[in-house]
């Protein structure tokens, strides 16, 4: 079986792969034979194993990096599972490299007595690529490379085995003779150096190869398939109805906060009751800590910043829970301290804390919240001190030093592209351009990088500013909000930055083409993933269910009308992932069936993915769909989901994530209430059930990724 070549070599993906062998001093290519071959067999085996492991490990990292935004759980899972796996992958790679280097050194030492050894070695150092050339591999069966190992430029790599035959063409005999005429040490050293250079090359290529290689996925447009027929809400045709005053004059100023809330609907009342219950548990057992652990009546800290309290501020205000809001404000005024020696995730602290403070400032006009926003903004801005301007994942709040995440060498794409609304808003309200300049540079840089039909890999290196090769492409964890913020940034800036809109539209076309599929038997739309940037996997995260709302918002702002059809169909699928479970709660990840089977199920859930973390994405989209169409079916769906939360997540002292949505008896409570449950889930449910939808019109507000509303500007 011939392995396809990936990754941007000039030969393209369908050419035969080349082995790497040495040239003699005439530039002729010589095969390695006889004794040398034997001596090198062990080293070659090591190299093969290293390459194979590296490829597998690189390909595994994105698969396992799926714990988007679950703080303590994310840390824990990193420790126990995927993070540990990634870390082990790198240390294993480093060990292999070290061992290989030691072998080379040993070989060199053994032959050091030969006077020419050093000169031979030196003659090749620093110029290795010139010493590599191409021989055509005509037999590649069982080559143990999988996947993720590729070549770059003119130098393609294989881990050739003993049974690999190198076709040397007409010059073969002559080259073999010349090679054999070389001193043995020269041949050995030469090959060792080539091997070492190749390992280094593999690492570089794996980190920075051009991801724009063509993808091996079917070309049909899945969305031409008929839509689901039942229970489908009627679509109200959308016009661009953006208010002219916002569009033209708008306000490069703070939009006046909405007036006091009107009388609540019955369903709204129930949601506000849930907020009070959650708040009471937090106040009693976790006050000032990041998260409540409602079962053990204790708390959890991730950033040591009172995450739940800050994330909840604007929800309390919007719900008109004055007492709760005032006690929270008091804590912010007297206790919230950013001057601590603490590493925080730039993205999470931006969307939750900076976003929460800014939003609360806009709603209340209370200077306290702006002062706090500036304080943390000035610390977080250190995250952008990298070689490329693409931020590092983590920042220390005290030292203002930035770093890669502990579990890997790269930043997540969604994270570096989901901080722009907040930093831009900070610049607009303070008049200090520095914050916006930093995030603009990131957006402009990412805009220029190669993409796969507008879709992006999920890892990027902060120093080089380049994608990690063979990263997963997904609309879920670590990819999701890149697409969301393309559109929302364009809206925030008064629709003046067309490249953002264009990139958004191109990405939706790419989603339709490369990621969209329909299920059997019900023809449900879902968006799968491309693993290793090319292999389609029929899984979709709950996180992806933000997309219907974003698409509907785009259509409202003039994006192609057929995006609304995608939004409706995906909204329906997302809803079923909740309401087809006995708990009415969605699992973290769902797998979709695209083949006719005896089970007759459109989708299924694996045990490890059956948890519900109180996530908001589906109810967020339901709010957009209702807000923009007025179709009350969306409210009804949201109400059923809320019943699931009430029935299976509500506990005596708050709400808890659960480990199993597939059973009403064995829900496996996880003893954690995420901050976004108060910041997002309950806020969107409240908005969904509001009878008067004008207070938070999407013509005036743009909601950040953590549901914190920020004003729309004119430019
Ligand atoms: C939140 O922190 C944000 O919505 C983020 O963009 C994605 N993950 C969580 C909620 O699931």
């Amino acid at each position: 079986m011939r392995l396809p070549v990936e990754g941007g070599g000039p030969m393209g993906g369908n050419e035969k792969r080349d082995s790497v062998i040495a040239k003699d001093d005439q530039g002729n290519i010589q095969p390695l034979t006889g004794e040398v071959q034997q001596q090198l067999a062990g080293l070659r085996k090591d190299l093969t194993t290293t390459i194979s492991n590296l490829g597998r490990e690189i390909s595994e990292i994105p698969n396992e990096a799926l714990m988007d935004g679950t703080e303590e759980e994310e840390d824990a899972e990193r420790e126990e599972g995927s993070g540990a796996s990634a870390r082990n992958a790198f240390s294993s790679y480093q060990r292999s490299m070290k061992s290989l280097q030691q072998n080379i050194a040993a070989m060199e030492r053994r032959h050091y007595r030969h006077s020419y050894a050093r000169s031979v070695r030196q003659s090749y150092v620093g110029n290795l690529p010139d010493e590599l050339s191409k021989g055509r591999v005509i037999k590649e069966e069982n080559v143990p490379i999988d996947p993720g190992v590729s070549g770059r430029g003119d130098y393609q790599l294989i881990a050739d085995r003993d049974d690999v035959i190198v076709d040397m063409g007409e010059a073969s005999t002559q080259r073999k003779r010349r090679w054999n005429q070389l001193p043995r040490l020269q041949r050995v050293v030469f090959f060792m150096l080539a091997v070492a250079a190749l390992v280094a090359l593999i690492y570089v290529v794996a980190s920075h190869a051009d991801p724009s290689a063509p993808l091996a996925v079917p070309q049909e447009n899945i969305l031409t398939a008929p839509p689901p027929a039942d229970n489908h809400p009627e679509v109200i045709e959308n016009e661009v109805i953006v208010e002219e005053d916002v569009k033209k004059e708008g306000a490069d100023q703070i939009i006046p906060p909405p007036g006091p809330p009107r009388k609540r609907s019955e369903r709204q009342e129930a949601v506000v009751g849930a907020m009070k219950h959650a708040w009471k548990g937090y106040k009693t057992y976790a006050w000032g800590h990041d998260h409540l652990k409602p079962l053990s009546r204790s708390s959890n800290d991730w950033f040591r910043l009172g995450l739940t309290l800050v994330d909840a501020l604007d929800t309390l205000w919007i719900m008109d829970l004055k007492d709760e809001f005032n006690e929270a404000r008091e804590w912010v005024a007297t206790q919230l301290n950013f001057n601590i020696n603490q590493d925080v995730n730039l993205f999470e602290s931006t969307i939750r804390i900076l976003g929460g403070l800014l939003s609360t400032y806009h709603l209340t006009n209370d200077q306290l919240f702006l002062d706090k926003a500036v304080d943390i903004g000035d610390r977080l801005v250190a995250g952008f001190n990298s070689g490329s301007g693409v931020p590092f994942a983590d920042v220390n709040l005290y030292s203002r030093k930035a770093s890669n995440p502990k579990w890997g060498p790269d930043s997540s794409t969604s994270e570096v592209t989901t901080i722009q609304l907040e930093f831009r808003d900070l610049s607009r309200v303070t008049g200090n351009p520095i914050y916006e300049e930093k995030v603009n540079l990131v957006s402009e840089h990412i805009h220029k990088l190669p993409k796969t039909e507008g879709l992006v890999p999920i890892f990027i290196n902060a120093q080089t500013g380049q994608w990690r090769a063979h990263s997963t492409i997904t609309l879920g964890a670590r990819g999701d909000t890149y697409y969301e913020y393309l559109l929302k940034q364009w809206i925030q800036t008064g629709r003046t930055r067309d490249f953002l809109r264009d990139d958004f539209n191109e990405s939706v076309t790419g989603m339709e083409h490369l990621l969209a599929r329909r299920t059997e038997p019900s023809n449900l739309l879902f968006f799968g993933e491309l693993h290793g940037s090319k292999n389609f996997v029929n899984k979709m995260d709950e996180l992806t269910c933000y997309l219907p709302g974003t698409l509907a918002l785009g259509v409202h702002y003039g994006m192609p009308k057929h995006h609304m059809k995608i939004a409706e169909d995906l909204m329906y699928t997302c809803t079923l992932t909740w309401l087809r479970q006995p708990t009415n709660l969605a699992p973290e990840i769902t797998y979709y069936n695209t083949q006719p089977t005896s089970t007759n199920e459109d989708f299924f859930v694996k045990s490890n993915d059956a948890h519900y973390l109180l996530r908001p994405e589906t109810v967020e989209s339901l709010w957009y769909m209702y807000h923009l169409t007025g179709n009350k079916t969306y409210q009804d769906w949201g109400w059923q989901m809320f019943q699931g939360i009430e029935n299976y997540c509500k506990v005596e002292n708050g709400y808890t994530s659960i480990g199993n949505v597939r059973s009403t008896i064995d829900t496996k409570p996880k003893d954690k209430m995420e901050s976004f449950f108060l910041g997002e889930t309950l806020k969107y449910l409240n908005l969904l059930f509001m009878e008067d939808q004008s207070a938070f019109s999407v013509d005036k507000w743009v909601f950040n990724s953590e549901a914190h509303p920020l004003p729309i500007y004119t430019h």
Side-chain angles (χ1 to χ4, degrees):
M1 182 188 74
R2 186 166 296 286
L3 297 178
V5 174
E6 293 292 333
M11 294 160 54
N14 297 319
E15 297 291 329
K16 291 175 177 177
R17 293 150 54 102
D18 297 322
S19 68
V20 177
I21 62 171
K23 286 179 182 176
D24 63 15
D25 55 1
Q26 306 297 308
N28 294 320
I29 302 167
Q30 296 287 344
L32 301 174
T33 56
E35 197 181 344
V36 175
Q37 191 76 281
Q38 266 188 345
Q39 288 180 335
L40 295 175
L43 289 170
R44 189 184 296 142
K45 198 170 162 208
D46 287 347
L47 173 63
T48 302
T49 307
T50 301
I51 292 165
S52 181
N53 288 344
L54 179 60
R56 190 171 57 250
E57 289 155 5
I58 286 171
S59 74
E60 281 173 2
I61 291 166
N63 290 344
E64 299 187 7
L66 292 171
M67 311 77 68
D68 172 275
T70 58
E71 313 85 50
E72 177 210 29
E73 176 159 333
E74 183 170 14
D75 287 342
E77 288 185 28
R78 280 169 183 158
E79 286 304 318
E80 292 161 14
S82 55
S85 169
R87 208 168 39 252
N88 290 340
F90 277 95
S91 56
S92 156
Y93 169 69
Q94 284 170 335
R95 277 198 305 278
S96 298
M97 280 288 291
K98 198 170 169 196
S99 154
L100 193 57
Q101 284 161 355
Q102 283 168 347
N103 284 339
I104 292 169
M107 292 286 279
E108 283 180 341
R109 275 198 304 279
R110 274 205 297 279
H111 297 278
Y112 198 69
R113 65 182 182 276
H114 296 285
S115 58
Y116 46 73
R118 185 178 296 246
S119 63
V120 168
R121 179 165 163 265
Q122 282 173 346
S123 71
Y124 294 130
V125 167
N127 196 26
L128 276 170
D130 291 339
E131 312 310 318
L132 308 181
S133 187
K134 295 184 284 188
R136 186 161 62 84
V137 175
I138 60 173
K139 186 178 178 189
E140 285 187 334
E141 292 89 344
N142 306 319
V143 175
I145 304 175
D146 176 50
V149 178
S150 69
R152 190 174 65 171
D154 290 323
Y155 310 104
Q156 297 285 340
L157 174 70
I158 65 163
D160 55 356
R161 293 155 44 97
D162 290 340
D163 58 357
V164 172
I165 298 168
V166 181
D167 179 12
M168 304 307 296
E170 293 176 7
S172 175
T173 309
Q174 186 191 5
R175 289 170 186 167
K176 189 185 288 182
R177 183 161 40 77
R178 285 180 182 167
W179 172 261
N180 288 336
Q181 284 169 351
L182 290 174
R184 192 177 71 179
L185 177 62
Q186 185 169 350
R187 283 176 281 161
V188 170
V189 170
F190 183 79
F191 191 79
M192 291 300 95
L193 290 170
V195 166
L198 282 167
V199 172
L201 187 62
I202 292 160
Y203 182 74
V204 171
V205 167
S207 300
H208 308 304
D210 178 0
S212 60
L215 299 169
V217 293
Q219 299 298 300
E220 74 273 13
N221 185 345
I222 299 296
L223 291 171
T224 55
D230 297 331
N231 294 332
H232 211 276
E234 195 181 317
V235 182
I236 297 171
E237 197 63 45
N238 280 277
E239 302 269 317
V240 183
I241 51 167
V242 181
E243 290 175 13
E244 283 304 302
D245 59 338
V246 174
K247 188 164 56 180
K248 298 221 175 83
E249 297 152 31
D252 212 339
Q253 74 228 11
I254 297 167
I255 291 183
R262 314 255 166 89
K263 188 174 175 318
R264 297 184 188 124
S265 70
E266 209 172 299
R267 287 175 175 182
Q268 234 188 313
E269 203 65 68
V271 175
V272 172
M275 183 72 183
K276 283 183 178 170
H277 181 72
W279 186 257
K280 188 173 166 212
Y282 174 75
K283 183 180 167 186
T284 309
Y285 297 109
W287 187 245
H289 293 279
D290 285 340
H291 292 113
L292 168 68
K293 296 179 76 171
L295 299 178
S296 54
R297 300 179 186 187
S298 60
S299 62
N300 149 267
D301 276 311
W302 186 26
F303 298 157
R304 296 194 289 142
L305 296 175
L307 208 54
T308 294
L309 189 150
V310 179
D311 222 358
L313 281 167
D314 57 3
T315 306
L316 293 171
W317 194 90
I318 289 167
M319 289 181 174
D320 201 27
L321 295 175
K322 289 198 176 72
D323 292 345
E324 290 84 350
F325 179 83
N326 287 335
E327 64 201 9
R329 185 202 179 279
E330 182 62 16
W331 185 88
V332 171
T334 59
Q335 304 293 315
L336 181 56
N337 175 21
F338 296 125
N339 198 30
I340 56 174
N341 184 13
Q342 173 74 44
D343 283 348
V344 299
N345 176 282
L346 171 65
F347 156 75
E348 297 289 2
S349 43
T350 297
I351 63 167
R352 300 186 197 212
I353 296 180
L354 180 57
L357 291 167
L358 285 168
S359 165
T360 308
Y361 168 66
H362 288 294
L363 292 168
T364 63
N365 265 333
D366 184 337
Q367 184 68 26
L368 166 71
F369 298 109
L370 181 56
D371 291 346
K372 289 292 180 183
V374 172
D375 188 355
I376 191 167
D378 283 342
R379 295 166 194 276
L380 293 178
V381 82
F384 297 87
N385 294 335
S386 70
S388 69
V390 171
F392 288 104
D394 293 343
V395 184
N396 185 288
L397 290 175
Y398 179 75
S399 67
R400 305 185 190 207
K401 289 213 172 88
S403 57
N404 281 317
K406 292 177 186 66
W407 46 272
D410 299 317
S411 302
S412 299
T413 303
S414 66
E415 296 192 356
V416 303
T417 54
T418 310
I419 48 185
Q420 279 70 10
L421 293 182
E422 299 80 1
F423 279 96
R424 181 175 294 111
D425 190 69
L426 188 58
S427 277
R428 301 300 176 94
V429 292
T430 59
N432 179 354
I434 187 77
Y435 316 108
E436 181 169 6
E437 283 167 10
K438 301 278 186 195
V439 292
N440 281 348
L441 276 179
V442 180
S443 289
E444 285 153 15
H445 174 82
I446 301 257
H447 167 65
K448 289 181 199 139
L449 288 181
K451 303 181 185 66
T452 303
E453 300 190 25
L455 306 177
V456 292
I458 60 170
F459 288 109
I460 186 167
N461 187 274
Q463 290 293 20
T464 66
Q466 300 300 307
W467 305 126
R468 183 196 291 179
H470 311 295
S471 297
T472 294
I473 289 175
T474 175
L475 308 182
R478 305 191 188 283
D480 49 3
T481 47
Y482 160 72
Y483 307 99
E484 176 188 346
Y485 267 35
L486 286 176
L487 179 72
K488 288 184 173 177
Q489 282 198 76
W490 178 69
I491 293 171
Q492 182 194 34
T493 52
R495 288 166 285 148
T496 55
R497 300 185 189 188
D498 289 349
F499 81 89
L500 295 163
R501 176 203 57 198
D502 296 345
D503 284 359
F504 176 75
N505 275 327
E506 190 189 347
S507 76
V508 178
T509 305
M511 293 172 198
E512 293 177 67
H513 185 207
L514 297 174
L515 304 181
R517 294 285 189 283
R518 294 277 178 179
T519 66
E520 291 283 348
S522 307
N523 206 37
L524 306 176
L525 174 68
F526 72 98
F527 286 93
E529 303 182 343
L530 296 175
H531 287 195
S533 299
K534 66 183 173 60
N535 299 317
F536 184 82
V537 179
N538 59 340
K539 75 184 263 282
M540 187 169 80
D541 296 348
E542 198 282 335
L543 290 164
T544 304
C545 292
Y546 79 94
L547 188 58
T550 297
L551 289 170
L553 180 65
V555 173
H556 175 71
Y557 273 99
M559 299 300 119
K561 287 200 172 153
H562 81 274
H563 288 189
M564 197 63 188
K565 171 81 175 123
I566 307 172
E568 292 163 23
D569 288 2
L570 186 60
M571 188 77 261
Y572 182 65
T573 305
C574 287
T575 298
L576 291 183
T577 64
W578 290 64
L579 303 186
R580 277 193 186 170
Q581 299 299 338
T583 52
N584 277 11
L585 298 171
E588 181 75 352
I589 298 170
T590 301
Y591 285 82
Y592 293 84
N593 173 35
T594 54
Q595 307 296 329
T597 63
S598 52
T599 61
N600 245 11
E601 298 285 352
D602 287 290
F603 50 76
F604 61 97
V605 179
K606 297 182 181 177
S607 304
N608 284 347
D609 305 328
H611 45 290
Y612 172 60
L613 304 181
L614 300 168
R615 287 202 189 276
E617 286 74 16
T618 304
V619 294
E620 166 187 350
S621 280
L622 286 174
W623 173 65
Y624 280 104
M625 298 298 282
Y626 173 65
H627 182 76
L628 294 167
T629 68
N631 189 324
K632 290 184 185 299
T633 299
Y634 296 120
Q635 287 185 318
D636 294 340
W637 290 350
W639 181 247
Q640 290 179 64
M641 293 171 196
F642 180 61
Q643 295 315 302
I645 293 170
E646 287 293 281
N647 290 334
Y648 300 106
C649 299
K650 187 174 185 178
V651 292
E652 186 184 353
N653 296 303
Y655 289 80
T656 180
S657 302
I658 63 168
N660 183 20
V661 300
R662 298 183 301 176
S663 165
T664 56
I665 301 161
D666 183 23
T667 57
K668 298 189 176 17
K670 291 170 78 78
D671 192 20
K672 184 168 181 195
M673 187 172 77
E674 298 281 351
S675 80
F676 51 68
F677 180 63
L678 290 80
E680 289 194 77
T681 311
L682 292 176
K683 183 187 286 149
Y684 281 127
L685 283 166
N686 179 59
L687 292 174
L688 176 64
F689 301 136
M690 258 184 193
E691 270 157 18
D692 175 14
Q693 286 287 311
S694 65
F696 286 94
S697 163
V698 294
D699 296 334
K700 295 199 171 87
W701 299 93
V702 60
F703 285 74
N704 88 337
S705 195
E706 190 78 1
H708 298 304
L710 299 171
I712 293 169
Y713 295 95
T714 53
H715 62 279

